[in-house]
Amino acid sequence: MHRRSFLRGAGLGTALGAGALAGAFAVAGAADADDGTERDGPSGRLIPFHGPHQAGITTPPQAAASFVAFRVIAPDRAGLQRLLAVLTDRIRTLTAGGPVPATDLASPPTDSDTLGPVVPADGLTVTVGFGASLFDDRYGLADRKPAKLVQMPAFPDDDLVGATELHGDLSLQLCADSRDTVMHALRDLTRHTRGLMQPSWKVDGFHSAPRPSGTPRNQLGFKDGIANPDTGDARTADALIWTHGGANGEPAWVEGGSYQVIRIIRMLIEFWDRVSLHEQENMIGRRRDSGAPLDGTDEADRPNYQADPQGLITPMTAHIRLANPRTAATFDQQILRRGYNYERGLDLDGNLDVGLVFCCYQQDVARQFQAVQQRLAGEPLVDYISPTGGGYFFALPGVSGSGDTFGAALFA
């Protein structure tokens, strides 16, 4: 009997999540600063807001994150444009940091003041995405929908029955060097957009420091996020991450955007912790202590699957082998992983509710994430994970300057 089936039969309780394991685990922890040091409070690190692409995609993951989906309730197209203008203005202000505007005693405060009278930049990024449902008949945008944008389907190993954290008209990915900076930004944005959009679900994530060094670990104890495409190489990024207007049926306005996948993956650690180290390593395809592939000695070593065609060293069903076979034919199926660990207390049966907020970016969801997901269907690891929802979104192109707003090209 599969362990997940047993858990369901025994009453696993309500899983407070939404998601499914994508091509490979996302990075499961990171230091708080570019220099690898941890921070005890808000940092002065400023990540530029303006540019051809949104920040928070190729940005190295910060220490804390919130992923929030919204239902857009703007009454008409003009209201939607007003919503995007407000988001642009507030995100531009919040990511820059600075003194809080003064308030007279007879008026509501201009800021929550949870970060004090001077808001730190603190490495804050806010990445805005559209869901497929935004392109229905409410705003007359059906003919401008990104070509690859659909609602996330249920995959064979998903647990989506009764899930409430699914899909959305709009997504915000908020990341910063400190947890309270993320919360402050979300509170500010929801305050200024009240009456235009309504939160529908939210999940928080965190990064741990590398232990003892190198790539951080996920809740299964394995180093995670070792093999990501080189985003510093423009040709690789253009081929794998960024969308191009007019190419592959895409409307012109999507130039510089990217498709975002969010998946909330509960890890059934009560069972995982009873599995032998040998079996764990064979399921993942890496050594737990060093992160090295089973045929290597260092986490950075590239596994040589050609020298192991029968899977005698790295099993053919190993997670890393299925997710990325490292062949010429699967090069354009790579995804940029940018995920976070999560911890949500206990379920109704007293089991720890922990796991991974998987997030990835790519040029084409079907060609990349879904192709990887199909290879992973039925892998041995599915007995120890419980994907419960999430969504597909299109991360908008960046804001070019002070006179630009999110989605301006969409309405041109």
Side-chain angles (χ1 to χ4, degrees), residues 237-255:
D238 281 342
L240 297 176
I241 302 170
W242 308 124
T243 52
H244 302 291
N248 301 313
E250 294 286 9
W253 73 270
V254 307
E255 182 68 33

Side-chain angles (χ1 to χ4, degrees), residues 319-407:
H319 183 80
I320 68 167
R321 189 164 190 165
L322 291 172
N324 185 3
R326 297 176 181 268
T327 65
T330 59
F331 171 82
D332 68 351
Q333 297 175 1
Q334 294 180 83
I335 55 179
L336 175 63
R337 295 167 291 162
R338 200 179 188 281
Y340 285 79
N341 288 331
Y342 80 78
E343 188 276 320
R344 290 178 146 183
L346 304 174
D347 67 14
L348 297 179
D349 297 310
N351 296 308
L352 290 170
D353 187 356
V354 302
L356 175 71
V357 187
F358 176 92
C359 176
C360 72
Y361 291 92
Q362 57 264 288
Q363 187 181 88
D364 183 331
V365 173
R367 188 189 83 214
Q368 294 169 265
F369 170 76
Q370 288 187 186
V372 173
Q373 189 69 20
Q374 288 163 3
R375 286 197 298 270
L376 290 169
E379 64 168 325
L381 197 60
V382 300
D383 281 350
Y384 304 94
I385 58 175
S386 183
T388 56
Y392 290 170
F393 300 92
F394 178 73
L396 303 179
V399 175
S400 62
S402 59
D404 191 16
T405 61
F406 284 122

Side-chain angles (χ1 to χ4, degrees), residues 91-121:
I91 295 170
R92 181 188 285 123
T93 300
L94 291 165
T95 55
V100 172
T103 307
D104 64 81
L105 295 178
S107 301
T110 58
D111 187 84
S112 66
D113 216 30
T114 57
L115 298 181
V118 178
V119 175

Side-chain angles (χ1 to χ4, degrees), residues 27-45:
V27 180
D32 293 359
D34 291 338
D35 60 3
T37 60
E38 294 184 74
R39 300 189 188 278
D40 295 325
S43 73
R45 189 163 69 104

